[in-house]
Amino acid sequence: MQIPVLFWGPLEVIDKKAVAIIGPESSSIVHMISFIATGLEVPLISFSASDPSLSASQFPFFVRMTQSDSVQMAALADLIRHYEWKEVIAIYVDDEYGRNGISSLSDELSQGMSKIHFKFPLSVNFDLGEVTRVLNRSKFLGPQVFVVHMYNDAKLRFFEVAQELNMMTSNYVWFVTDWLSSSLESSSPRSQSSLRVLEGVVGLRPYIPMSVQRTAFISRWKNLQQKKFVLSELTTQALYAYDTVWAVARAIDKLLEEGNNLTFSFNNNFNDMGRTNTNTNTQIDRFKVFEGGEHLLKILTQMNFPGLTGQVHFDESQNLVGSGFEVFNVVEGQIRTVGYWSEFSRLSTSPPPRKPPINNQTTKSEFDQKLGNVRWPGGESTRPRGWLLANKEKPYKIVVPRRTGFTEFVRVNGSNGIEGYCVDVFNEATNLLPYDIHFKFEPYGNGVSNPTYDDLVKMVVDDKYDAAVGDITIVTNRTRSVDFTQPFVDSGLVIVAPVDNSKSSTWVFLRPFTAEMWIVTGLSFLVIAVVIWILEHRVNDDFRGPPKRQLKTMLLFSFSTLFKTNSENTISTLGRMVMLVWLFLLLVLTSSYTASLTSILTVQQLSSSITGMDSLIANNLPIGYQVGSFVYAYLRDNFNIHPSRLVQLRSPEEYESALRLGPGKRGGVAAIVDELPYIELFLANRTDFGIIGQPFAKKGWGFVFQKGSPIAVDLSTSILKLSESKKLYEIYKKWFCRPDCPSERARTPEPDELQLSSFWGLYLLCGAITVIALLIFLLKTVRQYIRFKSKQRDPSSSPSDTGFSKVVYNFFDFIDEKEEAIKNFFSQQDSS
């Protein structure tokens, strides 16, 4: 029985009751014929249409016997991300195949924060002139990583033009899809010299694992070539076509084995569509619908057999589950494999596994992916920059603010050009870049007042300038439109107001110590008084006598130690040991008290009622700010301060004048809100003003670049290196530390009260020595008392004399006795 299987030809032959259509090769034609195949319920199997928009959801009878471009573009996106390129230029053929493939690449790149910066379409039948125009337009756009997605170009016309335009040098990167490998396969074997035009090109081609079946087929093909039965080379596409025919044949054979008949019938809905299409002469209403089409499609998509291209089976979308792609590199006229890619192993130097892992999960993370060594255009082995850097003929245009105040940061000097702290940091950072960058500074501003920094940022956004360098604060609304480098200055807003040195206060002498410190110190004097009395009472006549006299002596002795004018001397060893530690504690306390009180009496005090941002907002007084700064918008939008309260100031001299005038006079302000670096410089030689509170709204200064510029990332690394090498601080000292740095002299913080925690160790030491001395005294005294009672005991004494209360009373009575009398008693007893 003859089974009609249609290899795509004229549309009129479809009415020959075909049960399957193999082909066509073009994705554009597949788009058109898929509507017919769906209506006729005839499976359409293509071994070359890789357009990712061809899907089973739109065309239920379409089966793809090759890898979809969505898979190839995922591999290409991984390849681009592997080398950390953020922007590429896409050149593609302008039809469904080219547009949809590049659209898929754009989606894949966006998942890794990369993007297609420019897209350049080529007509399907492009000529050398069109290629030249496209390459010339793309030559100076910034990104120099190119992706070329087109049809077979056996003569390699595209890269011949690129070579003529000097675009195959080390500054460029070229990625190609599988069209290049198809072009090289379909043509006769080329010499190495003819492939040198592709030097450094990196491309993808379908990976087909070697098998016994494939090896035998290649051998048979070569025999046919030797016998002149076939003249063409065996291409990858031919292998897919071979597997396609076998898959269709197996499916039809199984369909017949199941006892199904090949029957056709008219479908009214499909035929009505043909009758309404009066603009065509295809006579579509004559075609019959294949009744077994759905069953044949089901059998076909459930196929699973070893083919020449690997295991032939399909996914849920009726696409062939391929083996992945091979990454190749053209080096010295030879094609070298540098790695592989599959949906499961991603980029790897090892071929993809024949069987996918369990649950079809990716086995490698982005950081585990690796490739072999790649030789780039120009013979370079190091990764190209991938971005057009400015040269002497066309340097980067960098705008800098023409400041009128605080010119130490940026200033225009007639003889030295543009200089300042920010300019020096930028120059030093560019010196650390791994490549040379040519640039020129252009000042912006009228020279009368500081320019608005939002205008500088906008000029970079509008592409009038490539970058902006200066004291530019990194704020949220600016980061939405430009890229900033790593901050090279930490900043924040502060409030500055007039101060005075008035220190008159009745109780100022109490301020050095906290209340807790005063209480503990006072109790310590009392404890020392009691301890010294206990230790000296038995041996020192100065601590004996009537109770009133002893109490007075005890207290006067303790407090007079503060001034070292004791009239009584300590005699006992334990008493002297305690006094030694106590006097050391007093020495430290008095020294610290004196230093703290001196600092309190000299530190600057605020002469206004402003204590912070809350009081500044509430008192309704005028507030100064630096013209051109973001402070105006910040105070207005975040603190709802009415613009009429905000007074713009241009220079440090205007700052000083406005603060001295005060809020009661025209042009005066109660305080100024500005960034810390400016205020530190302002206070460097002005002692009548000071900073209120702590910095708020922490920010930083950075250099501005256009969105996506890779130079911003590289300069950030350079700034970190400057900071780690202390070079950044050296530049700061050069501009601001004459003779000392403003950050060290701009604000003298009010000293904190001395806390108990600062002296806790000393108190602990003194307390420990005191307790040890008391324990030794107690043990010694108890021992004497026991000996005394043993020598004094009368055998006829009653038991009541030995009661607890009597013993305690006798012990305290014993302690009150002078130790010399006790020793004399012992001597008399021993001699008798």
Side-chain angles (χ1 to χ4, degrees):
M1 180 178 182
Q2 186 176 0
I3 307 298
V5 176
L6 180 63
F7 288 84
W8 174 246
L11 186 63
E12 287 77 5
V13 301
I14 294 183
D15 62 349
K16 293 184 177 180
K17 298 181 179 180
V19 298
I21 303 172
I22 297 178
E25 295 184 24
S26 170
S27 295
S28 300
I29 298 177
V30 171
H31 269 280
M32 294 186 294
I33 201 63
S34 290
F35 288 101
I36 307 297
T38 301
L40 295 175
E41 298 185 8
V42 174
L44 171 61
I45 307 97
S46 176
F47 54 83
S48 59
S50 57
D51 180 358
S53 67
L54 290 168
S55 64
S57 59
Q58 184 179 7
F59 307 114
F61 284 83
F62 173 73
V63 180
R64 196 195 313 270
M65 268 294 294
T66 187
Q67 298 185 84
S68 171
D69 274 346
S70 62
V71 180
Q72 181 174 205
M73 295 308 171
L76 192 55
D78 272 357
L79 195 56
I80 293 170
R81 285 194 294 266
H82 177 73
Y83 291 104
E84 300 180 352
W85 286 307
K86 297 299 182 182
E87 297 183 1
V88 301
I89 293 177
I91 301 176
Y92 59 96
V93 63
D94 192 15
D95 63 357
E96 287 87 350
Y97 160 76
R99 289 191 298 268
N100 294 330
I102 293 301
S103 176
S104 179
L105 175 62
S106 180
D107 294 339
E108 293 290 339
L109 287 174
S110 64
Q111 297 178 19
M113 303 301 292
S114 299
K115 66 177 182 179
I116 298 177
H117 198 70
F118 295 99
K119 298 179 182 179
F120 291 99
L122 287 171
S123 59
V124 176
N125 299 312
F126 63 84
D127 56 20
L128 296 182
E130 185 178 1
V131 175
T132 302
R133 287 190 297 271
V134 165
L135 292 180
N136 277 327
R137 287 174 58 194
S138 64
K139 196 172 184 180
F140 301 106
L141 292 178
Q144 291 191 309
V145 179
F146 291 85
V147 174
V148 185
H149 183 54
M150 52 194 290
Y151 291 120
N152 291 4
D153 181 18
K155 296 182 179 180
L156 304 179
R157 297 172 299 163
F158 182 90
F159 284 104
E160 286 180 353
V161 174
Q163 189 177 48
E164 291 175 2
L165 296 177
N166 200 30
M167 295 179 68
M168 299 300 293
T169 60
S170 58
N171 296 326
Y172 295 88
V173 177
W174 293 97
F175 289 112
V176 294
T177 53
D178 57 0
W179 67 268
L180 181 59
S181 62
S182 297
S183 300
L184 298 177
E185 287 176 344
S186 60
S187 60
S188 57
R190 295 173 176 268
S191 62
Q192 290 187 2
S193 59
S194 63
L195 290 180
R196 290 193 181 276
V197 69
L198 301 173
E199 186 71 21
V201 171
V202 176
L204 296 173
R205 59 184 176 187
Y207 170 67
I208 299 178
M210 188 58 67
S211 63
V212 176
Q213 186 178 1
R214 181 188 170 194
T215 303
F217 184 84
I218 293 174
S219 177
R220 295 200 308 269
W221 188 270
K222 289 182 178 179
N223 290 333
L224 292 174
Q225 282 182 319
Q226 293 174 357
K227 297 176 181 179
K228 306 299 182 180
F229 290 141
V230 294
L231 300 177
S232 61
E233 295 294 328
L234 183 61
T235 65
T236 301
Q237 194 175 78
L239 298 178
Y240 280 115
Y242 182 88
D243 284 344
T244 302
V245 173
W246 269 105
V248 173
R250 284 169 178 261
I252 295 175
D253 187 54
K254 186 174 181 180
L255 180 71
L256 296 176
E257 285 179 356
E258 293 176 356
N260 295 288
N261 295 321
L262 304 181
T263 57
F264 298 83
S265 63
F266 287 105
N267 187 302
N268 292 331
N269 293 331
F270 183 68
N271 293 335
D272 289 342
M273 181 184 71
R275 296 189 187 97
T276 57
N277 191 359
T278 57
N279 295 328
T280 64
N281 58 357
T282 58
Q283 299 180 347
I284 198 171
D285 56 325
R286 296 172 43 226
F287 300 152
K288 292 182 179 181
V289 176
F290 177 37
E291 294 181 353
E294 289 189 5
H295 190 46
L296 178 61
L297 177 67
K298 182 179 180 181
I299 294 174
L300 182 63
T301 53
Q302 291 178 349
M303 284 277 119
N304 193 340
F305 66 93
L308 297 184
T309 58
Q311 197 68 19
V312 177
H313 61 292
F314 301 89
D315 60 17
E316 297 81 0
S317 300
Q318 300 176 186
N319 293 319
L320 178 71
V321 178
S323 302
F325 287 89
E326 194 174 334
V327 184
F328 68 88
N329 180 212
V330 181
V331 181
E332 297 179 351
Q334 295 182 350
I335 298 177
R336 297 180 180 177
T337 299
V338 294
Y340 303 87
W341 183 95
S342 74
E343 294 183 84
F344 313 111
S345 62
R346 316 302 286 188
L347 290 175
S348 173
T349 54
S350 302
R354 290 183 177 272
K355 292 184 179 180
I358 300 175
N359 298 327
N360 291 340
Q361 293 181 347
T362 301
T363 58
K364 288 192 176 182
S365 68
E366 181 179 345
F367 301 102
D368 294 332
Q369 300 182 51
K370 57 184 179 180
L371 288 175
N373 295 327
V374 172
R375 188 77 66 85
W376 303 101
E380 296 290 335
S381 58
T382 57
R383 183 185 74 97
R385 176 64 212 155
W387 186 270
L388 175 64
L389 299 175
N391 50 40
K392 293 182 179 179
E393 291 75 22
K394 190 181 179 182
Y396 272 107
K397 292 195 302 179
I398 300 177
V399 61
V400 296
R402 189 192 295 269
R403 296 192 57 87
T404 57
F406 301 106
T407 56
E408 290 85 351
F409 295 105
V410 180
R411 67 183 172 208
V412 179
N413 191 321
S415 58
N416 297 327
I418 296 174
E419 60 182 12
Y421 171 72
C422 299
V423 176
D424 280 3
V425 172
F426 180 80
N427 289 332
E428 288 292 336
T430 55
N431 290 338
L432 295 178
L433 292 175
Y435 48 84
D436 293 330
I437 174 174
H438 299 275
F439 56 87
K440 66 174 182 178
F441 292 121
E442 294 186 11
Y444 171 75
N446 55 21
V448 178
S449 62
N450 294 334
T452 302
Y453 280 48
D454 285 339
D455 291 345
L456 269 72
V457 174
K458 189 175 185 303
M459 286 190 290
V460 176
V461 176
D462 294 341
D463 204 23
K464 294 180 180 178
Y465 291 95
D466 298 298
V469 169
D471 45 339
I472 305 172
T473 307
I474 303 173
V475 293
T476 304
N477 64 328
R478 293 173 182 171
T479 58
R480 295 190 183 103
S481 54
V482 295
D483 283 345
F484 280 90
T485 62
Q486 170 81 15
F488 61 91
V489 169
D490 292 326
S491 181
L493 295 181
V494 293
I495 303 171
V496 63
V499 298
D500 60 33
N501 294 316
S502 176
K503 299 296 173 296
S504 57
S505 175
T506 306
W507 304 101
V508 68
F509 66 90
L510 295 176
R511 290 181 57 189
F513 287 172
T514 62
E516 183 183 39
M517 185 70 178
W518 279 117
I519 292 172
V520 172
T521 303
L523 291 175
S524 298
F525 277 99
L526 295 178
V527 170
I528 289 297
V530 173
V531 170
I532 293 299
W533 179 83
I534 293 174
L535 298 177
E536 294 291 323
H537 178 69
R538 300 187 68 211
V539 297
N540 195 337
D541 291 334
D542 292 336
F543 291 86
R544 300 183 66 82
K548 185 177 181 180
R549 178 191 171 202
Q550 292 186 52
L551 180 63
K552 182 175 67 174
T553 300
M554 181 174 61
L555 294 176
L556 287 177
F557 176 85
S558 176
F559 285 100
S560 63
T561 56
L562 185 63
F563 311 102
K564 302 178 181 61
T565 58
N566 309 80
S567 59
E568 300 84 9
N569 294 321
T570 53
I571 295 176
S572 68
T573 303
L574 294 176
R576 289 178 176 179
M577 181 177 68
V578 171
M579 284 297 299
L580 180 65
V581 180
W582 170 247
L583 290 175
F584 177 73
L585 174 63
L586 285 182
L587 175 64
V588 175
L589 287 179
T590 53
S591 301
S592 303
Y593 176 89
T594 303
S596 181
L597 182 61
T598 302
S599 180
I600 289 173
L601 293 174
T602 56
V603 72
Q604 293 180 338
Q605 300 295 314
L606 297 175
S607 61
S608 67
S609 60
I610 300 170
T611 59
M613 198 63 205
D614 292 336
S615 61
L616 183 62
I617 296 172
N619 60 23
N620 230 14
L621 296 176
I623 304 170
Y625 72 94
Q626 186 177 176
V627 63
S629 170
F630 78 99
V631 175
Y632 174 84
Y634 182 81
L635 296 178
R636 181 195 62 198
D637 299 337
N638 291 276
F639 293 100
N640 297 319
I641 297 177
H642 197 274
S644 60
R645 291 182 57 192
L646 301 175
V647 180
Q648 65 178 18
L649 305 170
R650 294 179 175 81
S651 64
E653 292 72 25
E654 289 192 12
Y655 278 30
E656 182 175 3
S657 175
L659 288 172
R660 291 193 186 281
L661 286 174
K665 297 181 181 180
R666 182 177 179 82
V669 296
I672 294 174
V673 177
D674 204 353
E675 295 183 80
L676 183 60
Y678 302 122
I679 297 304
E680 287 181 342
L681 194 59
F682 169 71
L683 297 178
N685 52 6
R686 295 173 175 86
T687 59
D688 296 335
F689 311 100
I691 293 175
I692 301 175
Q694 298 296 322
F696 59 97
K698 295 295 182 67
K699 306 285 183 181
W701 292 355
F703 303 128
V704 178
F705 286 88
Q706 293 179 356
K707 202 71 174 176
S709 173
I711 300 180
V713 178
D714 292 342
L715 269 184
S716 295
T717 304
S718 298
I719 291 171
L720 288 175
K721 291 179 180 178
L722 289 177
S723 178
E724 293 168 357
S725 65
K726 297 184 179 180
K727 185 64 178 179
L728 205 60
Y729 181 67
E730 292 177 5
I731 300 173
Y732 180 82
K733 289 175 62 177
K734 169 187 173 182
W735 285 98
F736 304 113
C737 300
R738 303 171 184 172
D740 53 353
C741 298
S743 58
E744 298 170 359
R745 61 181 182 248
R747 53 185 298 199
T748 304
E750 184 172 336
D752 295 329
E753 294 177 315
L754 296 174
Q755 305 287 331
L756 178 62
S757 58
S758 302
F759 304 95
W760 186 248
L762 277 177
Y763 276 109
L764 186 64
L765 175 64
C766 186
I769 297 297
T770 301
V771 171
I772 292 172
L774 284 175
L775 289 175
I776 293 174
F777 172 81
L778 184 62
L779 291 174
K780 178 182 176 183
T781 305
V782 169
R783 180 171 172 274
Q784 284 184 346
Y785 176 71
I786 294 173
R787 181 184 177 192
F788 174 78
K789 296 303 290 182
S790 64
K791 293 183 178 296
Q792 192 185 36
R793 183 175 299 158
D794 187 355
S796 61
S797 59
S798 63
S800 61
D801 293 338
T802 60
F804 178 78
S805 58
K806 186 67 174 177
V807 170
V808 173
Y809 175 81
N810 291 337
F811 179 73
F812 279 102
D813 189 48
F814 175 79
I815 291 177
D816 190 55
E817 291 291 332
K818 198 171 183 181
E819 187 174 5
E820 185 178 357
I822 301 299
K823 289 182 178 180
N824 291 333
F825 172 77
F826 289 155
S827 298
Q828 293 176 1
Q829 291 293 322
D830 292 336
S831 62
S832 62

